[in-house]
Amino acid sequence: MANRRDSRIEPSFEGSPRAKPSDGFSVSEEDRVVPANRKSAAKRKSAKAKSRGRGRDRSQRGLFSIFGRLLYWCFVFCIWGGIAVAGVVVYYGAKMPAATTWSIPDRAPNIKIVSVDGQLIANRGMSGGEAVGLNEMSPYIPEAVVAIEDRRFYSHFGIDPIGLTRAMVTNVLGGHFSQGGSTLTQQLAKNLFLTPDRTLERKVQEVLLALWLEHKHSKDQILEMYLNRVYFGSGAYGVEAASRRYFGKSARDVTLSEAALLAGLLKAPSRLSPARDPKAAEERAQLVLAAMREEGKIGDKEYKMALSAPATRSPSYWTGSENYVADTVMEELPDLIGDVRGDIIIDTTVDLTLQKLAEQSIRRLIDESGKKLNVTQGALVSIDDSGAVRAMVGGYDYSTSQFDRASEARRQPGSAFKPFVYMAALEAGRTPDSVRNDAPIRIGKWTPENYGGKYYGKVTLATALAKSLNSVAAQLTMEVGPDAVVEAAHRMGIQSDLQSNTSIALGTSEVTPLELTAAYVPFANGGYEPDIHFIQRVTTASGKVLYKNNGGSAPRVLKADIVGMMNSMMTGTVEVGTAKKAAFNWPSAGKTGTSQNSRDAWFVGYTANLTTGVWFGNDDGSPMKKVTGGALPAQAWHEFMVAAHEGLPVRPLPGTWKSTPPDTVVPDEIPSADNSQPAPPAPVGQSTPVAQAPARQARPAQTVDADGFDMPSDGGTTASVGHPVPPGDVGGPKKRRQTSILDILSGG
């Protein structure tokens, strides 16, 4: 039994890793205090922990390896990128001329046009304004431009890496191009040398040129060049042109708020121009002021004051009538000095005070009566005895129409042409006392009719001219011949082609207000035809004289006795005739004119100082409502001449003629010639009177009593005529000057 028990409980240790002999005893695993598998678990946990640690080490080493590779390839990319950029720069740089040949191109010359007393009339040329030194202009202008356009201008070397990076980030984040990284130097380089094309080649060249500019010029020189050349919108290049364009003042006098507005325009000159969008311009100006405060250029007090007093835009720039004068000056300039190669100053003969008075008179009369009388346009020309144009208004408003009606519009002068008819008659032997029968007459199929159909019977030529009787003028034209009338008009200064027919007596051939007024000047100066001119002198900015009008000699075109007779007759027009509204406290004479259906109304009159012509009408030739030369034109002439003669000593008209008593028979023969020879007209600016015979008292024209003469067979003094004055193409073709780039950019 014992043997069987022992054999049952003795384990066999062969092949059993868990059994361990212990003095014949065997202990089961369940009976142990510390199970063996606990130790194995601990070992396994330790192994796992070590494995995880080794995994973390491997992942960290892998991450560092990725960053390392990334840095490596970035470095490699930068190297190759730099090589590529250098290659592009070298490639496009090689296409440029050698740097030794680079030079700053001349700034587009400015043409400064000034009045007879030195006041600015206009600036012309591509720049539109003279160059102003950095130390001359308002200090707010450069400060505002630097604050908003290039804050690190005085610290970078022509290229601003910080600004360029900021612009790139902003554009990438925004998803569109909203900021530019160009410095002021780069912008100047582009304006000076390059086209506005957005190409890689142009950008590379811009950078190279900017570096060259920074090397050759100081920061102040670069900023000054930039401010005098950059475009500010509305046709204004440079701060001087922009200041005068928007504020009506020089860049020297610009205020803080005005400087902020100018600086704000540089982002988008055309879109932000206050002439186009005042609200957008003002909002941009406020951003500029904030930038100036942030940069320490202005304090809080200045900032608040500028916000409370925004820039006031000048509405009158390029709208004043003096621009008609400037346009005419620009047309004449090439014939005097050739090509303009630098800034020049043109001294004109125009009196800006008189110019403004003339414009105000024309505009006031149209504003008051235009709608009622269907009048939309007017023109005025005033010329002194030497031929110097003192004022010229070419229309109601230059900003809405640059067509110069004073020098370019050809219109029918009507009865304002009659002085040349009477002049030809006097030269053929008639006198102011010669008598003609004012009655309905027929010339072929034409029957000239007096205004209103009223006739006066037997009248003197003096009366016929003062009353502007058409039948008498037609009779005189038939007597002397149309060719003699045409010759007399051309001799006096009319340049337009004139039709040699009988109807010329009533002014059916077209002329301009300027030439018609000029043709009256010999009546005022004693019989001389002066050279009509606007330009007195042209000088460079340094004072070198390029041209000077020395006056010269004026040819005599009218005998002294004829001058005396014509002045005697035309005095009657103002004193008792159709132009009584023109009379003022100076000896004056002239002639009214009204074309068919009141399409044109004129008055051309003169004193011993000035000859002034006024025209009213419509561009399309539509009739006015019974407007005659003795109405609006005579009123405008009166207003202008009263102001022009204020404070001047009274001078009589040249020439003498003594009327024969009414009961004396007046032969139609040439009176004895006056052997006195008046001196030529005085130079511009001088008031020396023309040498002449002793002054006479103005003799009013006399109306002869028709009762003492035989009347026409119908026994009446009026007649209803069915054949009016032959019509003409009123206004004629408009001679328009070629549009300049300044016109396109000003929207005018």
Side-chain angles (χ1 to χ4, degrees):
M1 292 293 291
N3 291 336
R4 285 195 296 273
R5 185 170 55 252
D6 293 337
S7 63
R8 187 175 56 250
I9 64 174
E10 277 188 3
S12 174
F13 293 99
E14 293 180 6
S16 177
R18 297 184 179 184
K20 185 179 179 181
S22 180
D23 298 330
F25 294 96
S26 70
V27 181
S28 65
E29 215 41 64
E30 290 78 3
D31 295 330
R32 295 180 181 276
V33 177
V34 180
N37 64 339
R38 299 278 181 90
K39 294 182 179 180
S40 298
K43 291 179 180 180
R44 285 196 298 272
K45 289 180 180 179
S46 176
K48 289 180 179 179
K50 290 180 180 179
S51 176
R52 284 196 298 270
R54 287 193 297 271
R56 284 195 298 270
D57 291 342
R58 284 195 299 269
S59 65
Q60 290 176 356
R61 287 195 297 271
L63 184 61
F64 284 131
S65 176
I66 292 173
F67 276 119
R69 285 196 296 271
L70 182 61
L71 291 174
Y72 169 78
W73 286 111
C74 285
F75 179 72
V76 172
F77 175 78
C78 289
I79 292 176
W80 283 107
I83 293 174
V85 170
V88 170
V89 171
V90 171
Y91 173 75
Y92 286 122
K95 298 174 68 175
M96 299 175 66
T100 55
T101 65
W102 295 357
S103 61
I104 301 296
D106 292 334
R107 178 177 175 271
N110 179 65
I111 301 170
K112 184 178 181 180
I113 305 172
V114 299
S115 66
V116 72
D117 58 352
Q119 296 185 66
L120 179 67
I121 289 178
N123 282 297
R124 287 289 189 267
M126 285 299 297
S127 61
E130 62 183 325
V132 181
L134 199 65
N135 60 338
E136 295 179 290
M137 67 182 68
S138 167
Y140 293 123
I141 295 177
E143 290 175 353
V145 171
V146 169
I148 195 66
E149 288 291 314
D150 191 355
R151 299 187 180 191
R152 283 174 290 277
F153 173 72
Y154 282 99
S155 60
H156 63 61
F157 52 90
I159 305 169
D160 184 8
I162 299 175
L164 182 61
T165 303
R166 182 194 70 248
M168 290 176 60
V169 171
T170 302
N171 295 335
V172 170
L173 295 178
H176 64 281
F177 183 83
S178 61
Q179 287 192 13
S182 296
T183 64
L184 291 180
T185 312
Q186 288 176 263
Q187 294 180 43
L188 177 62
K190 178 177 65 177
N191 290 338
L192 290 177
F193 303 103
L194 305 173
T195 64
D197 300 333
R198 291 186 175 183
T199 62
L200 179 60
E201 178 179 1
R202 199 226 64 182
K203 197 65 180 179
V204 170
Q205 293 174 346
E206 176 185 303
V207 170
L208 294 175
L209 290 167
L211 296 175
W212 176 79
L213 285 171
E214 291 278 346
H215 174 69
K216 288 289 185 180
H217 302 277
S218 68
K219 289 287 187 180
D220 285 349
Q221 289 174 329
I222 292 173
L223 184 57
E224 180 179 307
M225 283 190 287
Y226 176 82
L227 292 174
N228 279 298
R229 295 170 186 252
V230 70
Y231 183 53
F232 284 91
S234 295
Y237 288 83
V239 290
E240 180 68 10
S243 299
R244 294 194 178 277
R245 169 66 181 88
Y246 298 123
F247 314 125
K249 62 172 68 173
S250 171
R252 300 170 178 85
D253 305 318
V254 163
T255 65
L256 172 58
S257 58
E258 292 166 345
L261 188 145
L262 291 177
L265 298 178
L266 297 176
K267 180 180 180 181
S270 298
R271 179 171 59 84
L272 294 176
S273 168
R276 176 179 178 180
D277 193 342
K279 183 178 179 181
E282 181 55 35
E283 290 175 352
R284 178 67 177 170
Q286 293 176 5
L287 294 178
V288 175
L289 291 171
M292 294 180 71
R293 182 179 62 171
E294 183 180 340
E295 290 295 304
K297 303 296 184 183
I298 58 174
D300 291 339
K301 183 178 180 180
E302 291 176 295
Y303 174 73
K304 293 178 181 178
M305 289 181 63
L307 288 180
S308 63
T312 302
R313 186 164 59 96
S314 173
S316 61
Y317 192 76
W318 288 346
T319 63
S321 63
E322 64 272 15
N323 287 282
Y324 291 113
V325 175
D327 290 347
T328 303
V329 166
M330 290 299 295
E331 290 181 356
E332 293 185 356
L333 185 63
D335 293 334
L336 301 180
I337 65 170
D339 295 335
V340 179
R341 302 186 181 278
D343 288 3
I344 61 173
I345 301 172
I346 301 177
D347 294 301
T348 70
T349 60
V350 171
D351 186 320
L352 198 55
T353 301
L354 295 182
Q355 180 74 27
K356 295 295 185 183
L357 286 170
E359 178 182 5
Q360 292 169 8
S361 181
I362 295 292
R363 298 194 68 167
R364 183 186 64 79
L365 289 171
I366 293 178
D367 289 340
E368 292 177 355
S369 306
K371 291 184 178 179
K372 180 176 64 176
L373 301 177
N374 190 35
V375 183
T376 58
Q377 288 294 346
L380 183 149
V381 179
S382 187
I383 308 172
D384 71 12
D385 290 348
S386 69
V389 178
R390 296 304 188 184
M392 186 178 75
V393 178
Y396 175 82
D397 185 2
Y398 181 86
S399 66
T400 58
S401 174
Q402 290 80 54
F403 177 61
D404 186 357
R405 294 150 190 85
S407 65
E408 295 178 321
R410 299 186 183 279
R411 311 289 298 215
Q412 288 186 337
S415 294
F417 191 83
K418 286 179 181 175
F420 309 118
V421 175
Y422 282 78
M423 182 185 112
L426 296 181
E427 290 180 331
R430 283 66 172 174
T431 72
D433 285 338
S434 297
V435 177
R436 293 295 181 272
N437 187 15
D438 176 38
I441 62 172
R442 184 181 298 276
I443 302 174
K445 295 182 179 181
W446 173 49
T447 303
E449 181 185 5
N450 287 344
Y451 180 77
K454 185 176 182 180
Y455 295 88
Y456 292 86
K458 298 289 184 175
V459 294
T460 63
L461 298 191
T463 297
L465 183 58
K467 297 294 185 181
S468 195
L469 304 180
N470 291 340
S471 71
V472 175
Q475 292 176 50
L476 294 176
T477 302
M478 288 294 293
E479 292 175 18
V480 301
D483 289 343
V485 176
V486 170
E487 187 278 330
H490 283 157
R491 182 171 15 113
M492 294 289 282
I494 297 294
Q495 298 176 349
S496 297
D497 292 333
L498 302 175
Q499 296 178 359
S500 182
N501 54 38
T502 309
S503 67
I504 196 173
L506 306 187
T508 54
S509 290
E510 297 160 348
V511 295
T512 68
L514 177 59
E515 65 179 325
L516 183 61
T517 304
Y520 274 58
V521 173
F523 296 134
N525 69 12
Y528 298 92
E529 183 195 13
D531 176 34
I532 305 301
H533 59 284
F534 292 82
I535 299 175
Q536 186 63 22
R537 186 176 62 169
V538 181
T539 59
T540 65
S542 61
K544 179 182 177 181
V545 177
L546 302 178
Y547 166 80
K548 186 176 181 179
N549 187 316
N550 295 317
S553 60
R556 174 177 281 281
V557 292
L558 199 58
K559 293 181 179 180
D561 58 334
I562 304 296
V563 171
M565 286 190 283
M566 288 300 301
N567 287 342
S568 175
M569 288 196 293
M570 284 196 283
T571 296
T573 304
V574 176
E575 295 179 348
V576 297
T578 56
K580 288 185 287 187
K581 291 182 179 179
F584 71 115
N585 60 353
W586 264 68
S588 56
K591 186 68 188 76
T592 57
T594 308
S595 66
Q596 187 183 31
N597 295 328
S598 293
R599 289 186 171 92
D600 304 277
W602 302 75
F603 179 63
V604 184
Y606 53 92
T607 66
N609 277 356
L610 287 176
T611 301
T612 302
V614 182
W615 166 88
F616 280 92
N618 297 305
D619 285 339
D620 60 2
S622 60
M624 297 177 286
K625 294 181 180 179
K626 296 184 178 180
V627 177
T628 65
L632 296 182
Q635 293 176 46
W637 188 92
H638 174 88
E639 291 180 7
F640 176 81
M641 295 294 272
V642 168
H645 289 77
E646 185 176 357
L648 297 179
V650 176
R651 294 172 55 199
L653 290 170
T656 59
W657 182 78
K658 185 177 180 181
S659 175
T660 304
D663 57 352
T664 303
V665 177
V666 182
D668 283 347
E669 62 183 7
I670 301 177
S672 59
D674 185 347
N675 294 325
S676 61
Q677 295 295 324
V684 175
Q686 298 182 14
S687 59
T688 304
V690 176
Q692 56 193 1
R696 61 170 177 80
Q697 295 295 323
R699 183 188 66 80
Q702 299 177 352
T703 301
V704 178
D705 187 357
D707 292 339
F709 299 91
D710 293 332
M711 302 303 296
S713 58
D714 61 8
T717 58
T718 63
S720 176
V721 181
H723 299 281
V725 177
D729 294 331
V730 179
K734 296 178 180 179
K735 173 190 171 186
R736 298 185 179 275
R737 74 173 55 86
Q738 294 182 350
T739 303
S740 67
I741 190 170
L742 181 61
D743 297 325
I744 297 173
L745 294 173
S746 66

